[in-house]
């Protein structure tokens, strides 16, 4: 099942597909640059609450205007108690010759 995490009018549109296998959860993110200008330093920052552990953090990427990239994150589950994953997308974009830092 696919979950939209941002709105269509946001500069970066993010969708998530979650797959679980016993004590492993696979998070497959799709990030789309909805603008016509390239974004550099795009980083998906994630944190967990509860008995979850992020195995490896996503790497910083660049996304051309209108392009979509995928990011895969594995999460280990150590108990079946309630837990949550929180995140934000941070990126740099040049606007009128000046670099702007944004967070979503």
């Amino acid at each position: 099942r696919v979950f939209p995490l941002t709105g269509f009018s946001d500069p970066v549109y993010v969708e998530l597909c979650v797959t679980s296998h016993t004590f492993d959860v696979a998070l497959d993110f799709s990030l789309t640059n909805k603008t016509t200008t390239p974004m550099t330093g795009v980083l998906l920052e994630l944190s967990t609450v509860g008995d979850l552990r992020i195995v490896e953090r996503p790497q910083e990427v660049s996304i051309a205007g209108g392009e979509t990239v995928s990011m895969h994150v594995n999460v280990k589950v150590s108990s079946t108690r309630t837990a949550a994953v929180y995140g934000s997308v941070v990126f740099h974009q040049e606007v009128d010759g000046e670099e702007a830092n944004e967070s979503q």
Side-chain angles (χ1 to χ4, degrees):
R1 183 171 166 170
V2 176
F3 299 95
L5 300 180
T6 61
F8 286 115
S9 62
D10 291 325
V12 178
Y13 176 69
V14 182
E15 288 182 335
L16 168 66
C17 180
V18 179
T19 308
S20 62
H21 307 279
T22 315
F23 289 102
D24 296 320
V25 177
L27 305 176
D28 291 303
F29 293 90
S30 174
L31 290 81
T32 303
N33 179 351
K34 300 288 283 185
T35 69
T36 57
T37 58
M39 293 179 176
T40 59
V42 180
L43 182 61
L44 184 60
E45 296 179 336
L46 299 172
S47 61
T48 61
V49 174
D51 293 330
L52 298 176
R53 182 177 56 88
I54 296 172
V55 176
E56 61 184 71
R57 304 255 173 219
Q59 297 297 312
E60 191 174 286
V61 297
S62 294
I63 308 175
E67 184 180 78
T68 299
V69 297
S70 297
M71 292 185 177
H72 181 81
V73 177
N74 286 319
V75 177
K76 289 284 187 189
V77 179
S78 38
S79 94
T80 56
R81 293 185 177 157
T82 302
V85 177
Y86 295 94
S88 62
V89 177
V90 179
F91 59 92
H92 306 281
Q93 187 173 35
E94 195 170 297
V95 179
D96 297 329
E98 292 184 27
E99 188 173 296
N101 296 325
E102 304 243 356
S103 180
Q104 196 173 343

